[in-house]
Amino acid sequence: MLSQKELQTLMEILSAVPFEASSATFQRTFVRAEHFRIAAAMCLMLDDDMLRPHHRLTAMYVIHDLYKAETPSVHPFMPFLVATLQAQGSATEQSAEQKLLCLLLAQPPSKDLPKKAPAELSTLGHVPTPNLAAISSGYAERDAQVAALRRGGVSPLVPAASALELEAPSDEPPVLDERQGLMRLQPPLLIPPPPLLDSREDEVLWLNPCSESALKVLWDHSMCSDNVKGVEVRDLMSKAFRGPLVPSQQQQVLLELESDAKLVYHCGLTPKRLPDLVENNPVIAIHVLLKLMSSSQITDYFSILVNMDISLHSMEVVNRLTTAVDLPTEFVHLYISNCISSCENIKDRYMQNRLVRLVCVFLQSLIRNKIINVQDLFIEVQAFCIEFSHIREAAGLFRLLKTLE
């Protein structure tokens, strides 16, 4: 379990004093992942009486100190420490090991013990024996969940090296368990091959094709190849987000999207990029949105379109959509409310008048085409017309409302 170098280092650590110095040096020298393995090796050396008396005392202290933060029911070496103390008997004259174990297992543990050297234990008086039954009950329930053979060191795993015959005796050294380095206790077992089951009428038959045509590999050469048209459309769409396309480029995008219904989902348009497309290429934006009407993301596109800055192009897109498909009523009403709010919030008088004219023309188109029920927005639109009554288009919208009243 330990290499020669590890054993030499361990013996040097066990020679240090006081106890806390040995434990601290141990934890600095060996990484935490190796603590359990080396502590298990020290338990074996203690059981086989392979250590000197002062080394034994230090080893017991280090084993306990490695997991002192854990409760007795979780401490992996608590059963070993309790069993070692119980094996000492109840003699009137306590040995140094008995005193050490009593101090380690006491609740709470002794605060002066870490400062002492192994030789100082013999000068201590009688140390009260802790309640070992209470400590044992903590890990007894845990150990009961492990099979009895496993607790005794017998692995439930059968090695497959001698699957068909018993291992012949040889002069070779015993085989060691690869996981813990411990000698296997179980004898080599005979593992006969399982018998074949009788076939049934409803059993699935295994087919072994023998014809050459059945073994021919068919390769789809179009697999993983990119669609050339898709690449061209994506390139043109990336340009459409940045600026207006020339008429020939616009026409190419519209033709490709019309010829392939699924291409609209791979052209690179996302809800966040819709405002750029609307401002630079409204015709393409209208065509793409119409293609996406059956998409599960169309609500996201509508939300972006409603909340973007009001402009001639955005109103053109909304107007064309309302005449082509039935848009949700709440979407149209929200867009109209945003148009009115935008007109009221513009500080520049020239830009305000220009936007009011556009909104008035847009609203007249929706009313004449019966896209909206003007009664739902009558008060809001009427107040808008009165506020901007000095503009001719607003006055015309107001007269239209009166004719419908």
Side-chain angles (χ1 to χ4, degrees), residues 11-206:
M11 298 309 297
E12 293 175 357
I13 293 173
L14 297 180
S15 300
V17 291
F19 287 122
E20 63 179 2
S22 299
S23 180
T25 305
F26 181 94
Q27 297 183 47
R28 285 197 307 268
T29 304
F30 299 107
V31 296
R32 186 175 181 82
E34 299 292 333
H35 288 179
F36 181 87
R37 178 178 65 86
I38 299 175
M42 287 193 289
C43 290
L44 293 178
M45 289 189 286
L46 288 169
D47 273 344
D48 295 339
D49 199 16
M50 299 173 60
L51 299 175
R52 295 179 180 179
H54 64 283
H55 287 163
R56 289 178 60 87
L57 296 173
T58 306
M60 291 180 186
Y61 179 88
V62 171
I63 291 172
H64 179 271
D65 193 60
L66 288 177
Y67 302 94
K68 65 180 179 181
E70 306 291 347
T71 60
S73 61
V74 179
H75 196 302
F77 298 102
M78 187 58 64
F80 170 80
L81 297 174
V82 172
T84 303
L85 179 57
Q86 291 174 336
Q88 299 286 338
S90 57
T92 306
E93 186 68 26
Q94 288 181 320
S95 65
E97 289 188 13
Q98 285 180 297
K99 295 178 182 179
L100 174 65
L101 291 171
C102 289
L103 292 172
L104 290 176
L105 300 179
Q107 294 296 332
S110 173
K111 296 182 180 180
D112 298 331
L113 181 60
K115 305 292 184 181
K116 296 184 181 297
E120 297 181 56
L121 292 174
S122 58
T123 62
L124 297 177
H126 184 80
V127 180
T129 303
N131 188 353
L132 298 182
I135 299 176
S136 302
S137 64
Y139 57 80
E141 183 179 354
R142 177 196 67 187
D143 292 348
Q145 300 176 4
V146 183
L149 285 178
R150 192 60 177 151
R151 292 202 304 268
V154 179
S155 173
L157 302 178
V158 179
S162 55
L164 300 178
E165 59 181 1
L166 292 174
E167 294 180 354
S170 63
D171 297 333
E172 297 181 358
V175 180
L176 298 181
D177 190 293
E178 295 180 355
R179 290 171 289 117
Q180 295 186 0
L182 302 177
M183 186 181 299
R184 296 197 191 110
L185 300 180
Q186 71 270 24
L189 302 178
L190 177 65
I191 310 176
L196 295 177
L197 298 177
D198 295 334
S199 60
R200 300 178 303 177
E201 292 183 0
D202 58 344
E203 185 176 353
V204 179
L205 299 179
W206 181 267

Side-chain angles (χ1 to χ4, degrees), residues 207-258:
L207 300 179
N208 293 307
C210 54
S211 61
E212 295 183 1
S213 60
L215 300 178
K216 184 178 180 181
V217 178
L218 300 179
W219 182 258
D220 183 4
H221 295 281
S222 63
M223 184 171 57
C224 299
S225 61
D226 203 352
N227 189 340
V228 177
K229 294 182 179 180
V231 174
E232 294 177 354
V233 171
R234 283 197 297 272
D235 291 341
L236 290 175
M237 286 293 289
S238 63
K239 295 179 181 178
F241 299 138
R242 298 190 298 268
L245 298 180
V246 298
S248 60
Q249 293 175 328
Q250 281 193 16
Q251 191 66 22
Q252 182 180 356
V253 172
L254 297 179
L255 289 176
E256 297 295 350
L257 292 176
E258 191 64 33

Side-chain angles (χ1 to χ4, degrees), residues 294-318:
S294 59
S295 171
S296 59
Q297 282 189 307
I298 190 60
T299 304
D300 298 332
Y301 289 102
F302 283 163
S303 178
I304 294 294
L305 187 58
V306 166
N307 292 292
M308 66 177 291
D309 294 337
I310 305 301
S311 65
L312 173 62
H313 287 171
S314 69
M315 282 188 283
E316 178 186 355
V317 170
V318 174

